[in-house]
Amino acid sequence: MTAQLDKDSEAFIDAARGFAALAVLITHSLDFGIRGVYGLDLVNAPDVWRWMAASIGHGSFFVWGFFVISGFCIHLSILRSKQMGTFNWSGYAAARVSRIYPLFLLGLLLAILVWWFTDDPSSAEATRPWPQFLASLLSLHIFTTSFPNFMPSWSLSNEMIYYGAWPLLLSMVGWRASRALTLGGASALIVCLLIGYIWSVLHRLETSTAVNGLWSVSVLFPLWLSGVWLVENWARISPHV
């Protein structure tokens, strides 16, 4: 394994990461703007705006791409730390939390303010999203749904879970990336098959938010793992990228 990338490759990865982040911001803004004007179901929206909401306003593709890049960058960072003998769990956790939490907490605060002034917490019909709030503080809101008005933050919950899962998998197999990739991919597949069986055959837990969150984490984990695979095979595939 090598933790070295040439300067052109590093510039390419940084550019792709920045483009994906900006594209997610633009698509969410466009989608919310269209639905704010024409309603959530877009029944009364002109065809051109419905088309834009379903294509340009759909940010999932860029979120998936960001997961791939995230797996690439995190694994590369771990590799470099291991090779220099500086990797430790506390430092790794501090680095991950410090890069996501400050802006995430700011976004959560803004969502709370919007909820407070639009939902009137004093009314009898008001929602009480405290489970979502507490889960958000732990980055586990993928299992409870996101706090009201902060729905796009679901992907950050997935990210934080992957941040913890990947070095844990590596440590379980003696820091051998190929084995960790196999274990991670197989585990995600087993969980997805099990949930699919529960939903499609047993018809149980079909409306469970927690199970739906587990499905999201599991079914998207291979995308994150594919970024790790790119690092492990970069010297061989980089001429084709």
Side-chain angles (χ1 to χ4, degrees):
M1 296 187 296
T2 176
Q4 302 301 319
L5 261 71
D6 60 89
K7 291 183 178 180
D8 288 341
S9 295
E10 295 221 15
F12 171 79
I13 295 299
D14 283 341
R17 179 165 47 179
F19 173 78
L22 184 60
V24 170
L25 174 64
I26 292 173
T27 54
H28 278 313
S29 300
L30 179 62
D31 186 47
F32 289 159
I34 295 173
R35 295 178 190 277
V37 173
Y38 294 107
L40 293 178
D41 55 11
L42 301 180
V43 170
N44 298 317
D47 288 343
V48 62
W49 288 112
R50 295 178 68 177
W51 180 88
M52 290 183 67
S55 55
I56 304 173
H58 199 299
S60 293
F61 173 80
F62 302 108
V63 174
W64 299 340
F66 204 91
F67 282 153
V68 175
I69 298 170
S70 177
F72 187 103
C73 294
I74 295 303
H75 182 57
L76 186 63
S77 176
I78 292 175
L79 270 183
R80 288 172 172 170
S81 297
K82 292 292 291 183
Q83 289 181 356
M84 292 186 296
T86 59
F87 179 85
N88 63 79
W89 287 95
S90 60
Y92 174 80
R96 302 285 73 77
V97 170
S98 64
R99 293 190 180 193
I100 284 186
Y101 256 59
L103 285 178
F104 172 78
L105 292 178
L106 175 60
L108 180 61
L109 174 61
L110 293 174
I112 292 172
L113 291 175
V114 172
W115 165 74
W116 183 272
F117 287 109
T118 59
D119 203 36
D120 187 8
S122 62
S123 69
E125 296 78 18
T127 57
R128 301 290 190 271
W130 302 122
Q132 291 92 327
F133 171 74
L134 294 175
S136 295
L137 294 180
L138 298 173
S139 289
L140 296 176
H141 47 287
I142 191 66
F143 301 113
T144 63
T145 70
S146 302
F147 194 87
N149 308 303
F150 204 29
M151 296 307 293
S153 68
W154 69 268
S155 61
L156 296 180
S157 182
N158 284 47
E159 277 282 347
M160 292 296 283
I161 292 171
Y162 299 153
Y163 287 169
W166 178 241
L168 182 61
L169 286 170
L170 280 171
S171 65
M172 290 171 60
V173 295
W175 299 93
R176 294 181 175 89
S178 58
R179 293 186 180 181
L181 280 169
T182 300
L183 178 59
S187 299
L189 176 60
I190 290 171
V191 172
C192 288
L193 289 175
L194 179 60
I195 294 176
Y197 177 78
I198 293 173
W199 281 345
S200 301
V201 178
L202 301 182
H203 297 287
R204 302 287 299 275
L205 303 174
E206 293 169 301
T207 59
S208 170
T209 303
V211 176
N212 188 64
L214 182 60
W215 168 266
S216 171
V217 171
S218 301
V219 79
L220 294 174
F221 193 32
L223 284 172
W224 205 91
L225 294 176
S226 68
V228 175
W229 182 89
L230 285 173
V231 174
E232 290 295 306
N233 296 274
W234 192 251
R236 178 166 57 88
I237 67 172
S238 59
H240 306 290
V241 175

